[in-house]
Amino acid sequence: MPESGLPGTPTPEWEPYAGDLDRTVVIRLTLAERVQHIVLMVSFTVLIVTGVPLLFPETPLIRVFGGMFPVRTFLHRFAGVTLALLAAFHVLYVLFSEEGRRDFGRMAPRIRDVTDFVHYVKYQLGKVSQPPPFGKFNPFEKIEYFAVVWGSAIMVATGFMMWFFEATLRVIPKWGYDLVLLIHGYEALLAFLSIILWHLYNVHLKPGVFPLSKVWINGKVTLRDLKEHHPREYRSWLKRQRIQPPGENGEI
Amino acid sequence: MAASLASDSAAGARLYVDPAVFTSSIHGQMGFTCTMCHPSISDYPHARVTPVDCGGCHSAANDELKASVHGRVHPTAGTIPATCADCHGSHDIRRHADPQSTVYRLTQFRACANCHSDREKMARFGQGDVAAVPTYLESVHGRALIQKGLSVAPVCTDCHGQPGTGAHEIQIVASPASPMNRSHVTETCGRCHEGIVTAYNRGIHGQRFAQGNADVPMCVDCHTEHAVQPITSPGSSVYPSHIPGTCLACHEREDLNARYGLPSARRQTYLGSFHGIALVSGQLTAANCESCHGAHDIRPPSDSTSSIAPANLVTTCGRCHPGIGARVTEGKIHVASVREDINLFAFGVQWFYYLLIAGIILFAASMIALDQYRHRVVDARRRGRGHA
């Protein structure tokens, strides 16, 4: 796709030297975001390990807890509360921190995501030579983020209803409670399979990333990574660095 | 046996009667002479010795024995299975209340085990089970007797003998005259466990049992016979983790469920529930069948006094879950089918997730395949073109 296909961002005609692309690092995830990701990762893993076996009764999987079933229940609830607190913190982060507000803005779905996706498929098939002009978050990352937001909301809400089912059954009928159990189970399976298949492929197994992307630890990407995988964000970054195309202000 | 004594001179030792043993026996204490039991002996050398006829004095016991399985000639073996001496001894006979008696309460099992743990002897009378006595000794009854020294613990003859006359009238269990025959088991157990049997008789099992129903369980169907254990014993058939298996032995049988119009899929609906999962995972406090349905006094939900009648459900659930909402009654407790046991809406939710999960897997798989294709095929082609 030609450069003109990037509405809203100026096309820099000046770029850093190739050597600088590898030397320069850009912060992709702030410390607060990395900490949130680690808390999410740990609580999610504990929730999956202590929860998913319950979806397969009468299989050997259910025996993994040995005689420690009450410990399992405690861990599941502890991790659930952790996830709920994380979600609350994330809402505050998005609302009140500058980086949070900015990144959430970049997360917002746009029509451009559809055209970017079409471009991506064409690029993957070799129909176009220019990589898709993704912003800081590509359409897949946006879907994943909102899936986590939506999934966490459902899991936390249904989870608390199950924890305090005595009170829940004062409000909703037993058949409604059965629906809550159903949703909690299937949503968990959905989240588990999505992470196993999609997220772990992208951050571990994908060629160029293998064996592990370190962005979740140090939050850093090189300017080259940014240019190749997030071209729109790259240009926006150049602009923020006040690197202007020559001639625009007369001289540089 | 006695008949062979004189002729069997090689076994001289068998002719010897220890005077000390005989004088300490009940007959010796009473001053019996030898010829009172061996009347055919009058001179020396002795004439052929006739069998001792205990019935000459003990006529009632003798009649009882003759009517019992032990005193009747066995159709294939051709002899009677047990004589007086087999249980009571011969020259050393003591009163049954004497602790040294072979039939004394606390040690009586040994007299029974002489034959009933002997595979050869039992085989002669067409019996294969030689485990009854050792199994009994490991049971709550046997341990009460041996380890706790409880004289009220039941011994063999308490359950197998007739009440009152005891051991002499023992019948095979298949005989309607046996107290261990299916028709008499509840009253026999009830001689000690009276309150339990009263509760059982109130329950649906007991009511049907009283009508002569051959399908309903009675005491030994759930508790086992000789092996009976307390509910606190992990080996018990009614230990919390074993209760589902014990109940399901009947309630998972399609023929019985169909015959009595009982709901099916009890195994699946219980073991798939949080209660079942927790119990299987070793949390013994999790509700098992008995927790909600009761043990002896089980009643159908249509009975207003049943613990699972809709009106009583909040109380029953509330025993473990205080303050549980009353709307627990609006729906099924055992959920087998999302479509029928919850509703069509739930069925829709289930299919929504089926499609969503299938869609996500399909989408992720195709995106991964596309990525691999680009890296392996498209990139290689691009590089090739670059070199050319």
Side-chain angles (χ1 to χ4, degrees), chain B residues 8 20 109 133 203 260 262 319 364:
Chain B
D8 188 8
F109 66 90
V133 176
Y260 298 102
L262 294 168
R319 286 207 299 264

Side-chain angles (χ1 to χ4, degrees), chain A residues 54 57-58 62-63 66-67 69-70 72 117 120 123-126 128-129 140 165-166 169-175 178-179 182-183 186-187 190 193-194 197-198 201 206-207, chain B residues 267 271-272 274 277-278 280-281 283 321 323-328 330 332 335 338 342-343 345-346 349-350 353-354 356-357 360 363 367-368 370-375 378 382:
Chain A
L54 271 69
E58 295 205 69
I62 204 69
R63 308 250 170 211
F69 198 78
R72 176 224 73 91
F117 174 72
Y120 170 82
Y123 175 73
Q124 295 287 66
L125 289 170
V128 294
S129 56
F140 304 107
F165 68 92
E166 289 97 338
L169 283 166
R170 275 179 232 139
V171 183
I172 63 166
K174 170 69 168 57
W175 63 262
D178 289 334
L179 209 55
L182 203 65
I183 291 171
Y186 281 122
E187 188 69 35
L190 181 65
L193 291 172
S194 306
L197 258 176
W198 183 243
Y201 176 78
K206 196 182 173 127
Chain B
R267 161 184 281 283
L271 292 182
F274 190 80
I277 290 167
V280 168
S281 303
Q283 190 177 340
H321 306 293
I324 192 164
R327 303 197 73 179
V328 69
E330 297 172 48
K332 287 211 175 177
V335 176
V338 168
I342 309 179
N343 51 35
F345 182 54
V349 169
Q350 190 180 35
Y353 274 108
Y354 283 167
L356 195 58
I357 290 171
I360 294 276
F363 180 73
M367 284 299 118
I368 289 168
L370 204 58
D371 197 47
Q372 290 289 323
Y373 175 77
R374 200 254 298 173
H375 281 286
V378 177
R382 278 179 185 141

Side-chain angles (χ1 to χ4, degrees), chain B residues 84-367:
Chain B
C84 307
D86 285 330
C87 301
H88 292 278
S90 49
H91 298 113
D92 55 346
I93 294 172
R94 291 163 182 266
R95 283 182 190 279
H96 69 82
D98 183 330
Q100 285 179 280
S101 165
T102 51
V103 294
Y104 178 61
R105 250 191 109 66
L106 297 186
T107 50
Q108 181 207 70
F109 66 90
R110 289 193 195 124
C112 301
N114 275 341
C115 295
H116 284 273
S117 292
D118 185 323
R119 193 171 293 282
E120 256 177 56
K121 280 187 191 167
M122 294 310 286
R124 209 182 306 149
F125 297 99
Q127 300 291 312
D129 179 15
V130 289
V133 176
T135 308
Y136 158 78
L137 291 177
E138 290 299 317
S139 77
V140 65
H141 291 149
R143 283 185 288 124
L145 188 82
I146 307 295
Q147 290 171 19
K148 310 290 181 192
L150 270 177
S151 57
V152 292
V155 299
C156 310
T157 54
D158 287 329
C159 301
H160 291 279
Q162 294 297 333
T165 58
H168 297 129
E169 288 181 295
I170 289 171
Q171 302 292 349
I172 56 168
V173 169
S175 157
S178 168
M180 280 289 106
N181 182 265
R182 183 178 162 87
S183 56
H184 298 299
V185 166
T186 60
E187 63 193 76
T188 301
C189 297
R191 293 211 301 266
C192 294
H193 301 280
E194 191 182 337
I196 299 291
V197 171
T198 307
Y200 169 82
N201 289 338
R202 274 199 309 265
I204 185 72
H205 291 150
Q207 284 176 23
R208 296 291 179 113
F209 180 75
Q211 294 162 6
N213 184 300
D215 290 327
V216 290
M218 41 82 188
C219 314
V220 299
D221 290 314
C222 302
H223 292 277
T224 72
E225 302 159 350
H226 298 113
V228 61
Q229 297 290 350
I231 58 165
T232 50
S233 163
S236 170
S237 52
V238 291
Y239 189 64
S241 56
H242 294 155
I243 282 184
T246 299
C247 299
L248 288 170
C250 293
H251 285 274
E252 191 64 3
R253 273 179 55 185
E254 286 308 319
D255 56 331
L256 290 180
N257 288 339
R259 191 176 305 158
Y260 298 102
L262 294 168
S264 59
R266 296 302 91 178
R267 161 184 281 283
Q268 174 207 342
T269 56
Y270 172 72
L271 292 182
S273 76
F274 190 80
H275 287 150
I277 290 167
L279 187 74
V280 168
S281 303
Q283 190 177 340
L284 297 179
T285 52
N288 56 52
C289 316
E290 184 269 342
S291 315
C292 307
H293 294 272
H296 303 110
D297 193 4
I298 296 170
R299 300 173 206 208
S302 55
D303 182 333
S304 64
T305 59
S306 166
S307 57
I308 56 158
N312 302 330
L313 217 46
V314 172
T315 312
T316 301
C317 301
R319 286 207 299 264
C320 295
H321 306 293
I324 192 164
R327 303 197 73 179
V328 69
T329 56
E330 297 172 48
K332 287 211 175 177
I333 301 297
H334 287 260
V335 176
S337 154
V338 168
R339 185 179 194 155
E340 284 148 31
D341 293 338
I342 309 179
N343 51 35
L344 272 177
F345 182 54
F347 186 60
V349 169
Q350 190 180 35
W351 268 97
F352 169 76
Y353 274 108
Y354 283 167
L355 295 175
L356 195 58
I357 290 171
I360 294 276
I361 291 174
L362 213 61
F363 180 73
S366 54
M367 284 299 118

